[in-house]
Amino acid sequence: MTIIQDSRFKIQKFKRNFFVVWVLSSVLFFLFSSYTAASDVSLHGFVQGNYSFSSRASNPDDGDFKWAEERVQLRLDAAKEPLRLFIKTDAFYDHIDEKAQIELREGYIDYIEKKWDLRAGRQIITWGVGDLIFINDVFPKDYEAFFSGRPMEYMKKGVDGVKIGAYPAFASFEFIAIPIFEPNNYPNAKRFYMFDPMPNVTNREEKDPPSNLENTEFAFRAYRDVAGFDASVYLYRGFYRKPYMIPDDINSTTKITYHYPKLSVYGASLQGRALDGVLSFEAGYYDSRQDRSGTDYTVPNSQTKFLIGYQRQLWEDFTVGLQYYNEYMHEYSDYVKNQPSGLPKDRKLYQLITVRLTQFLMHQDLRLGFFSFYSTSDGDYMLNPEIKYNFSDHVWAAVGANIFGGGESWSQFGQLDKNDNVYLQLRYEF
Amino acid sequence: MIRYLIFLLAALLPFEAFAISAEDVMKKSQAAFLYQGKDFKARVMMKLISKSGQERIREMTMLRKNYGETGGDQKFFMYFFQPADVKDMTFMVYKYPAKDDDRWLFVPAINMVRRIAAQDKTSSFVGSDFTYEDVSGRDIQDDTHALVKEEKLAGKDCYVIKSTPKAGDVDYSYKLSWVDKGSFLPLKEEYYDKKGELSRAFSADEVKDIKGFPTITKRTMKNLQSGHRTEVTYTKTDYNAGIEDSLFSERYLKQPPKKWIE
């Protein structure tokens, strides 16, 4: 699982120029509205306050909040067959960095035919059957949002691309092309303590794959029912979304360059009803195309990832979900041989268990939730208890905590040990 | 002797032919209540009302298609309008007699379709006083049925049927149903708990004729122990609308066709 490691770097994030998408969407929308006044238009959204207090220690920059913002989201949906336009825009004020910003979360046009459809623009794509474990979901994530106690939907980031769906009788298909690379977002080093193998090197640079035809990412999924199970196969050709470091000189580093190595993923998943619950399997082979021999320490080795999950309702409105996940590193002896002595070594077999408990009460107005990661190989964990209450059909609030610990100072959750936080989400939806 | 027996049986036959068994009443009731038409569509407005009068809304379009005979497979597709935090969610059920249903939920905020695990018999449907089983039906074979009496209810002749679950898989010990002799719709149901006390009560508050099918367009389920009740109104009700098989798929869960959900 690619959460964070060695990602403490202070680089100006390369901001995608969504201006083009925005202008395009607006122009199309106006064309659309003049095209027909009878088109079906709806506007929804929310106003939200989201605050996360560092409960264990002040932040590295002495701040006390991991997150503190007010946010407005507007969702515009306009449809006139065979076209549909969808725009989801957020405007927010961030109290920590004291800045206001507008963010285009999604903005796309659908063209829908009987046997196929097309979606062009910024869109969120979710693949795979894992619960917060991603093997074939190779699309960008926001781990800062996840660790800061933001609502779950903010863990997924949109991609700017084109998706074509084809639906012949025997199976369904999705083809995706993403010309503009979008990395994962990791926690800000001013707000989060994270492992850094070279804290004294301040000269750091991030190198995104340039946008050109050769670097366009392709993803493909085919799915259908197989004996009552939902079966999918997945193919991906693109890049790791986690940055890997290249020191200019490993023995006396003065500059670190972060890069996103080339990656292909071949995978499959199955999900269906079994044992009075829902059973899930997912597997994927991560082909690290720039280091198949496993000798380059600046590029990850190829891996095989596997997941099994089981979900069951035990009594009224109480559901339990369990997952076991592992990552097996190929060419491990070459990895060990070539890993520089100052850098931590990953295990050959990484193992993780998750537990999710959900109880609804008071006619589902009250939800008690608990989610935990525990790595049996690294010994570290993350716990996330949460209470959510719907005050009315429009107002809800959630209070929860993210608690990290165990393992090593460099392991996935162990490095986040000092970042425990308590959060509040308060939302008015319309 | 044999001739005498045949005569005796022949003499009894007319009585047997005219009387209807309790199980047949329930089968006909199931056909009228849950299986009418090839398919069915309604805009469903649920009001969840607490003892103190506080109201919550659940509004959805419900689509249903039959596969096979009464009591056979069915597929359901639901699209949620309200409350705001579930707007645009869709929910799909493949219902099978004598085995657990398959269920999928689509969460639009993260564009994700997931299977969900839930037991029909004890799960509340979207927090209402109805269980999943109340909405999609319970297998006739799961209960033993007995005709208790026949009586008039609101001017309609009814069979009163007592249905006792064969297994202890539900939280009531038996159910009484007032089934209209004309339409075979259940006009009233009473659920009794393990202590024999009335725990939940269903009533059909309005019956309309839609394309020749008598249809309950207003209904209430009341929990007598908590005082909470759920009032349901069906509008835009239609039968045999020609719902395609392809609707019940991941593709349309993610992108529900406007013509079906409006």
Side-chain angles (χ1 to χ4, degrees):
Chain A
M1 128 174 294
T2 29
I3 296 195
I4 47 174
Q5 271 172 25
D6 56 50
S7 61
R8 183 178 172 191
F9 51 94
K10 296 169 185 170
I11 310 165
Q12 281 296 91
K13 285 295 280 177
F14 173 69
K15 283 281 167 207
R16 277 185 298 169
N17 189 355
F18 60 74
F19 184 68
V20 179
V21 183
W22 176 244
V23 169
L24 193 73
S25 311
S26 312
V27 168
L28 276 162
F29 176 65
F30 283 113
L31 285 175
F32 214 76
S33 4
S34 53
Y35 168 57
T36 170
S39 74
D40 191 356
V41 180
S42 78
L43 187 68
H44 291 274
F46 58 73
V47 181
Q48 174 182 281
N50 190 181
Y51 314 93
S52 173
F53 180 74
S54 302
S55 53
R56 170 94 189 272
S58 291
N59 296 344
D61 71 351
D62 286 333
D64 290 320
F65 286 88
K66 299 283 188 226
W67 205 260
E69 64 161 31
E70 287 87 41
R71 177 176 290 259
V72 178
Q73 178 173 95
L74 291 177
R75 294 192 301 273
L76 177 81
D77 197 332
K80 174 91 169 71
E81 283 183 348
L83 291 170
R84 175 184 175 226
L85 172 74
F86 181 73
I87 296 172
K88 187 200 275 185
T89 332
D90 283 19
F92 62 91
Y93 184 77
D94 174 350
H95 290 275
I96 302 175
D97 288 350
E98 296 182 332
K99 62 172 187 199
Q101 216 166 307
I102 289 179
E103 181 187 8
L104 180 67
R105 298 283 306 166
E106 286 183 86
Y108 56 75
I109 291 160
D110 279 337
Y111 179 78
I112 303 157
E113 278 292 329
K114 201 162 193 290
K115 288 284 169 199
W116 65 277
D117 53 27
L118 183 147
R119 176 169 290 180
R122 180 167 300 172
Q123 51 192 298
I124 286 171
I125 299 169
T126 302
W127 279 2
V129 297
D131 180 3
L132 297 175
I133 292 182
F134 309 103
I135 298 177
N136 291 294
D137 189 330
V138 290
F139 307 104
K141 316 285 182 311
D142 187 340
Y143 289 101
E144 180 176 53
F146 182 58
F147 295 138
S148 303
R150 300 183 65 192
M152 198 49 73
E153 67 206 67
Y154 287 95
M155 191 178 184
K156 293 285 296 186
K157 294 170 80 181
V159 291
D160 294 338
V162 175
K163 185 186 81 183
I164 294 169
Y167 312 96
F170 63 97
S172 299
F173 301 92
E174 286 177 48
F175 304 89
I176 298 159
I178 307 167
I180 305 162
F181 176 77
E182 176 67 15
N184 288 343
N185 185 39
Y186 293 98
N188 184 316
K190 287 188 259 171
R191 302 185 192 182
F192 276 81
Y193 295 93
M194 280 169 295
F195 176 72
D196 188 342
M198 299 175 186
N200 298 323
V201 182
T202 53
N203 186 2
R204 299 185 184 207
E205 179 188 57
E206 187 187 359
K207 230 171 64 185
D208 278 16
S211 295
N212 57 36
L213 189 63
E214 196 196 336
N215 285 343
T216 296
E217 300 165 61
F218 292 102
F220 168 79
R221 174 184 172 220
Y223 60 101
R224 60 159 294 159
D225 171 89
V226 175
F229 274 69
D230 304 329
S232 296
V233 294
Y234 312 87
L235 303 173
Y236 170 72
R237 186 182 167 87
F239 302 89
Y240 283 92
R241 293 190 198 277
K242 172 182 161 181
Y244 287 87
M245 53 189 281
I246 308 175
D248 56 348
D249 177 350
I250 188 63
N251 296 316
S252 62
T253 306
T254 58
K255 183 184 175 184
I256 295 171
T257 306
Y258 286 92
H259 71 142
Y260 298 91
K262 289 175 183 165
L263 168 71
S264 292
V265 180
Y266 313 96
S269 69
L270 271 179
Q271 188 172 53
R273 189 172 31 77
L275 310 167
D276 291 327
V278 170
L279 201 55
S280 309
F281 299 96
E282 186 173 349
Y285 177 71
Y286 274 52
D287 177 9
S288 181
R289 296 189 338 253
Q290 277 170 252
D291 185 26
R292 284 184 173 136
S293 63
T295 50
D296 183 350
Y297 77 93
T298 69
V299 176
N301 281 22
S302 295
Q303 288 173 309
T304 299
K305 304 186 177 190
F306 173 76
L307 164 78
I308 178 168
Y310 177 63
Q311 187 202 337
R312 182 172 178 174
Q313 186 194 312
L314 290 185
W315 58 77
E316 182 173 356
D317 285 339
F318 178 80
T319 312
V320 56
L322 305 170
Q323 296 182 109
Y324 167 78
Y325 167 78
N326 71 34
E327 281 176 9
Y328 176 84
M329 193 194 292
H330 297 278
E331 314 301 337
Y332 189 72
S333 54
D334 288 302
Y335 166 80
V336 171
K337 224 180 290 169
N338 290 286
Q339 186 74 348
S341 55
L343 298 178
K345 278 188 187 60
D346 285 338
R347 287 177 173 77
K348 186 176 185 177
L349 184 67
Y350 174 78
Q351 300 185 84
L352 185 70
I353 285 168
T354 75
V355 177
R356 179 184 291 283
L357 308 174
T358 310
Q359 171 82 61
F360 283 100
L361 295 163
M362 303 168 73
H363 294 272
Q364 300 187 359
D365 282 340
L366 180 64
R367 186 185 73 195
L368 307 178
F370 175 78
F371 187 85
S372 69
F373 288 107
Y374 174 69
S375 168
T376 51
S377 55
D378 290 4
D380 60 351
Y381 59 84
M382 172 179 172
L383 311 175
N384 172 219
E386 187 184 273
I387 297 173
K388 183 185 175 213
Y389 182 69
N390 286 55
F391 289 93
S392 74
D393 285 335
H394 297 281
V395 178
W396 61 258
V399 176
N402 292 307
I403 300 152
F404 312 91
E408 321 269 1
S409 63
W410 49 265
S411 64
Q412 203 115 238
F413 305 109
Q415 66 177 315
L416 294 167
D417 194 18
K418 283 162 77 181
N419 296 295
D420 295 357
N421 58 77
V422 176
Y423 61 84
L424 167 71
Q425 303 160 359
L426 182 63
R427 188 182 281 190
Y428 169 79
E429 300 209 44
F430 56 88
Chain B
M1 182 66 191
I2 285 171
R3 207 180 291 168
Y4 179 71
L5 261 179
I6 289 170
F7 173 77
L8 192 71
L9 281 172
L12 285 169
L13 208 59
F15 294 103
E16 287 296 320
F18 283 113
I20 181 168
S21 75
E23 191 162 315
D24 286 341
V25 171
M26 293 313 279
K27 275 185 187 158
K28 286 195 166 190
S29 182
Q30 184 190 43
F33 190 36
L34 299 157
Y35 279 86
Q36 283 190 129
K38 289 193 190 82
D39 60 41
F40 171 73
K41 170 182 191 286
R43 178 92 162 226
V44 179
M45 175 67 102
M46 289 188 144
K47 274 188 194 168
L48 283 59
I49 306 163
S50 73
K51 195 177 182 178
S52 61
Q54 193 188 40
E55 282 187 17
R56 296 292 166 91
I57 300 295
R58 308 280 189 269
E59 190 182 6
M60 73 208 85
T61 287
M62 186 190 285
L63 300 154
R64 181 254 291 160
K65 185 166 182 172
N66 293 351
Y67 289 79
E69 297 301 301
T70 293
D73 291 3
Q74 290 181 314
K75 292 180 181 175
F76 290 83
F77 187 102
M78 283 169 229
Y79 169 85
F80 285 90
F81 294 94
Q82 288 196 72
D85 68 336
V86 300
K87 164 120 183 60
D88 293 333
M89 277 196 190
T90 51
F91 179 56
M92 182 167 76
V93 180
Y94 287 8
K95 184 180 160 57
Y96 316 102
K99 68 171 181 177
D100 286 340
D101 303 343
D102 283 319
R103 289 187 196 152
W104 295 263
L105 182 72
F106 169 62
V107 184
I110 46 174
N111 193 29
M112 179 184 76
V113 170
R114 277 295 143 81
R115 290 243 186 185
I116 54 169
Q119 311 287 346
D120 265 17
K121 302 175 195 308
T122 53
S123 297
S124 148
F125 179 72
V126 297
S128 74
D129 295 289
F130 291 88
T131 63
Y132 276 96
E133 215 171 58
D134 297 329
V135 175
S136 65
R138 179 170 165 84
D139 290 337
I140 302 285
Q141 294 79 8
D142 285 354
D143 303 325
T144 54
H145 307 278
L147 180 63
V148 180
K149 60 186 171 184
E150 297 179 19
E151 67 177 27
K152 266 196 186 330
L153 182 74
K156 302 253 166 104
D157 285 318
C158 291
Y159 297 108
V160 182
I161 308 286
K162 181 179 179 179
S163 305
T164 311
K166 290 173 185 169
D169 57 347
V170 284
D171 57 6
Y172 59 89
S173 61
Y174 68 92
K175 176 180 86 170
L176 292 179
S177 310
W178 279 255
V179 179
D180 182 353
K181 285 186 178 181
S183 66
F184 279 93
L185 288 173
L187 300 183
K188 185 166 98 168
E189 288 172 345
E190 291 179 346
Y191 294 80
Y192 290 86
D193 67 11
K194 313 274 178 198
K195 290 180 214 149
E197 282 171 26
L198 183 58
S199 58
R200 286 197 310 153
F202 167 89
S203 62
D205 308 322
E206 182 184 271
V207 178
K208 277 188 184 165
D209 188 88
I210 313 283
K211 281 192 176 173
F213 299 108
T215 306
I216 300 172
T217 49
K218 281 189 182 167
R219 67 192 70 190
T220 302
M221 183 70 88
K222 183 162 188 180
N223 184 322
L224 289 124
Q225 279 153 0
S226 68
H228 196 279
R229 71 179 193 279
T230 302
E231 295 177 0
V232 184
T233 308
Y234 282 15
T235 52
K236 298 182 179 176
T237 314
D238 196 11
Y239 288 98
N240 298 333
I243 299 170
E244 304 95 350
D245 291 341
S246 61
L247 176 74
F248 303 96
S249 62
E250 179 178 323
R251 177 193 185 183
Y252 290 117
L253 268 180
K254 286 181 166 175
Q255 211 169 46
K258 295 270 183 217
K259 69 164 177 172
W260 289 122
I261 59 174
E262 286 309 305

